[in-house]
Amino acid sequence: MEISKFVAPEIIFGRGSLSQIGESVVRLGVSKVFLVSDSDVISAGWVDTAVDYLRAAGLDTVIFSSLTTNPKDCEVTEGAAKYLASGCDGIVSVGGGSPTDVAKAIATIASNGGRLKDYEGINKISTPLPPMVIVPSTAGAGSEVSQFTIIVDTDRKLKMSIISRSLIPDIAIVDPELLKTKDAKLAAATGVDALTHGIESYVSLAATPLTDIHALKAISLISRNLRRAVSVRSDMEANTNMAMASLTAGLAFSNAILGAAHAMTHQVDGLLDQHHGETNASILPHVMRFNLQACPERFRDIAVAMGEDVTGLELIAAAERSIEAVQRLIEDIGLAKGLSELGLKEEFIPLLSENATKDACLVTNPRYATREQIEQIYRNAM
């Protein structure tokens, strides 16, 4: 039997679980909290609620929210300087993938020094990070349980993938109540991000029986709940199921890594400052078609998880049903757009393709992809 490892933080899940944030931070021995969030989450009132719980636990808080949708290395540098000057000894994130990635990156620079790109790639962090508690406000990124942080390198105009077990938070608090304040477009985009995590981790070269369980569960939950979560934002059953889907997909991709779709979207997002989920929606079906021949059995499993009836179909025909199901879902939630509609110009494709070949996520793609093949996938997705 092959040896595999599965890593995860302590997880607190359920409606109202944000109330656990104070005692969770105290258990980690923190005396002063550096809280990372963004303007939208602050406006929604969730940061005030979190601060009240932290204060009730006897904790002072410093808030940092100078970040953008696709967080940048310069924002991390600013945040790390403020953390070091603040006297804080622990980090909390309340927000979506952007605040969480910034929180992890700040923790990395504050404890290890240097520049963020020094840690690009896999397992380059050597010094332990400050205690971290993550509270997601979206159902998509899965960063609350992952060993990833993704930050834009403003010089190279691409997203850096930093992957390390050190980036796994100590505690993840997943409260579906926080999803109520997302709009429909954000719910759709983050949902497709979670779906991409589930699909790419299931077909990953690093997939294991443990990651497979989480990946297929996520795919099934998203297929049955995303349309409802987008169309009826007040549906707490759908929101709760999407929160669980994001969590399980996060556990899957954190341990199985990802594939060509993420290697490619990282480049587009770094160039265009586009929402990651929308870029995934444009690229995912085309990457699935490219990868299908490498593991058709796995794509057949995905089709079944998405509710497709593949009884009596030949293997390839059954596998292709997974692509059709993904395309229908993307269309139903209003994200069926080509990359050109998102603002990508043909002239950028060669550079994006070259950068994608260097992305750590490409290593575990089930089919080897040359730069020329990646260029063609980009063109197919235009």
Side-chain angles (χ1 to χ4, degrees):
M1 180 177 179
E2 292 184 2
I3 296 174
S4 62
K5 182 179 289 189
F6 189 93
V7 291
E10 176 184 337
I11 299 168
I12 303 172
F13 184 96
R15 295 177 65 178
S17 58
L18 178 59
S19 63
Q20 303 297 303
I21 191 171
E23 69 90 14
S24 296
V25 175
V26 168
R27 280 195 287 117
L28 297 176
V30 175
S31 59
K32 188 175 182 181
V33 175
F34 193 78
L35 192 154
V36 182
S37 190
D38 62 35
S39 58
D40 289 340
V41 179
I42 292 172
S43 297
W46 296 118
V47 169
D48 285 343
T49 302
V51 169
D52 287 344
Y53 287 129
L54 292 166
R55 186 180 295 118
L59 296 162
D60 291 331
T61 305
V62 174
I63 297 173
F64 177 76
S65 60
S66 300
L67 52 98
T68 48
T69 301
N70 287 298
K72 299 167 181 60
D73 49 9
C74 54
E75 297 163 0
V76 172
T77 300
E78 179 187 352
K82 290 188 175 180
Y83 173 83
L84 291 170
S86 69
C88 293
D89 55 356
I91 297 179
V92 167
S93 169
V94 180
S98 299
T100 300
D101 281 349
V102 169
K104 292 180 178 183
I106 287 172
T108 300
I109 296 300
S111 57
N112 286 261
R115 301 169 301 172
L116 197 58
K117 68 179 180 181
D118 296 336
Y119 307 100
E120 185 177 8
I122 300 174
N123 289 334
K124 295 184 179 179
I125 298 172
S126 57
T127 302
L129 275 52
M132 285 192 291
V133 175
I134 306 297
V135 184
S137 65
T138 62
S143 303
E144 70 273 12
V145 294
S146 83
Q147 54 183 322
F148 280 67
T149 187
I150 310 294
I151 302 291
V152 173
D153 182 317
T154 50
D155 289 334
R156 292 181 289 165
K157 291 185 171 55
L158 55 80
K159 280 187 169 181
M160 297 180 285
S161 297
I162 300 170
I163 307 169
S164 171
R165 286 184 292 275
S166 299
L167 293 172
I168 297 171
D170 296 279
I171 302 174
I173 300 175
V174 184
D175 185 344
E177 290 287 343
L178 273 69
L179 303 185
K180 293 189 302 185
T181 51
K182 294 195 307 180
D183 62 30
K185 183 177 180 180
L186 183 58
T190 54
V192 172
D193 191 19
L195 178 64
T196 309
H197 292 158
I199 290 173
E200 290 214 289
S201 59
Y202 188 66
V203 302
S204 165
L205 293 177
T208 69
L210 274 173
T211 63
D212 288 349
I213 292 169
H214 291 288
L216 287 176
K217 182 64 174 179
I219 293 166
S220 176
L221 283 170
I222 294 164
S223 301
R224 290 186 282 113
N225 291 278
L226 182 54
R227 291 177 177 87
R228 180 75 176 170
V230 171
S231 62
V232 186
R233 291 299 306 122
S234 60
D235 188 327
M236 283 310 300
E237 180 181 3
N239 283 333
T240 299
N241 285 332
M242 284 304 301
M244 180 59 75
S246 177
L247 171 64
T248 54
L251 290 168
F253 89 79
S254 178
N255 289 277
I257 318 299
L258 292 161
H262 272 79
M264 295 174 67
T265 57
H266 289 161
Q267 317 316 316
V268 178
D269 298 341
L271 177 69
L272 300 181
D273 203 24
Q274 183 67 39
H275 192 285
H276 181 58
E278 292 185 78
T279 318
N280 273 328
S282 298
I283 289 177
L284 176 62
H286 302 282
V287 170
M288 290 176 70
R289 191 166 299 282
F290 174 81
N291 284 335
L292 188 142
Q293 64 179 268
C295 49
E297 297 87 357
R298 296 234 142 198
F299 283 101
R300 177 187 58 197
D301 294 343
I302 292 168
V304 172
M306 295 190 75
E308 294 294 301
D309 182 3
V310 299
T311 305
L313 295 180
E314 296 290 335
L315 176 58
I316 296 300
E320 287 176 342
R321 286 287 184 90
S322 67
I323 303 172
E324 296 167 10
V326 166
Q327 288 174 320
R328 283 198 306 273
L329 177 57
I330 289 171
E331 183 172 348
D332 288 348
I333 60 174
L335 294 184
K337 298 179 181 178
L339 290 175
S340 59
E341 294 178 78
L342 300 182
L344 183 64
K345 296 180 180 179
E346 179 88 17
E347 64 198 70
F348 292 115
I349 288 178
L351 175 61
L352 296 181
S353 302
E354 178 63 28
N355 289 338
T357 64
K358 303 170 187 175
D359 193 291
C361 292
L362 195 63
V363 175
T364 47
N365 195 66
R367 180 182 173 191
Y368 178 77
T370 65
R371 188 191 67 186
E372 291 75 20
Q373 288 170 322
I374 292 173
E375 285 188 18
Q376 188 57 54
I377 297 172
Y378 273 129
R379 292 192 174 93
N380 293 343
M382 291 291 281

